[in-house]
Amino acid sequence: MAMNVGSPDSDDGEEQLNNTINTTPLVDVMLVLLIIFLITVPVVTQTIKLELPKERNLPTQTKPENIVIAVDRDGSVYWGTELIAGTEALVDRLKVEAVKEPQPEVHIRGDNEVRYESVGRVVVACQRAGIFKVGFITEPPAGAGARLN
């Protein structure tokens, strides 16, 4: 498969062959496909309409009856500053608090490096004991103090 290209100085009356590709049809096809995809993708994407919760950062209201449970990076659980021996001991102490009126809130402070499993055990212990209000204490993101003022 050879292509005969004449030399520029030869004048044999033949026309020069154009060996470049015409890209105009290719660009036209690509633009049409782009427009088709832009129109059809939102139609294909199906979502359920939800009202998602808004971000709110309320300062913690420390009440004496609130229970603060901390989980350190090793997974050790503390009731205030007292180390709890195991999950069953935590459930037993929470059951005593669960029968009080009004029922105290449990605030869980988890270390940034702790495995989720350790914090999940505390949440399950609260459920088993019958505690209804469980919250997580976090640090606000940097610059959040300026937004609250």
Side-chain angles (χ1 to χ4, degrees), residues 67-70 77-84 90 93-94 97:
I67 302 166
V68 178
I69 298 176
V77 179
Y78 294 86
W79 184 294
T81 57
E82 178 186 344
L83 179 65
I84 301 296
L90 178 62
R93 284 191 70 176
L94 287 171
E97 299 294 325

Side-chain angles (χ1 to χ4, degrees), residues 73-143:
R73 74 177 54 214
D74 300 325
S76 301
V77 179
Y78 294 86
W79 184 294
T81 57
E82 178 186 344
L83 179 65
I84 301 296
T87 306
E88 290 305 318
L90 178 62
V91 171
D92 292 339
R93 284 191 70 176
L94 287 171
K95 282 182 180 178
V96 171
E97 299 294 325
V99 295
K100 293 182 178 177
E101 280 297 326
Q103 190 180 67
E105 296 178 14
V106 174
H107 295 170
I108 302 173
R109 297 177 60 233
D111 190 272
N112 193 30
E113 302 294 323
V114 71
R115 291 180 48 124
Y116 180 75
E117 174 186 5
S118 301
V119 177
R121 285 190 188 123
V122 175
V123 173
V124 169
C126 292
Q127 289 176 339
R128 286 179 48 200
I131 300 289
F132 297 115
K133 292 186 178 182
V134 178
F136 294 94
I137 298 178
T138 60
E139 289 184 15

Side-chain angles (χ1 to χ4, degrees), residues 42-48:
V43 174
V44 174
T45 305
Q46 297 178 357
T47 60
I48 298 172

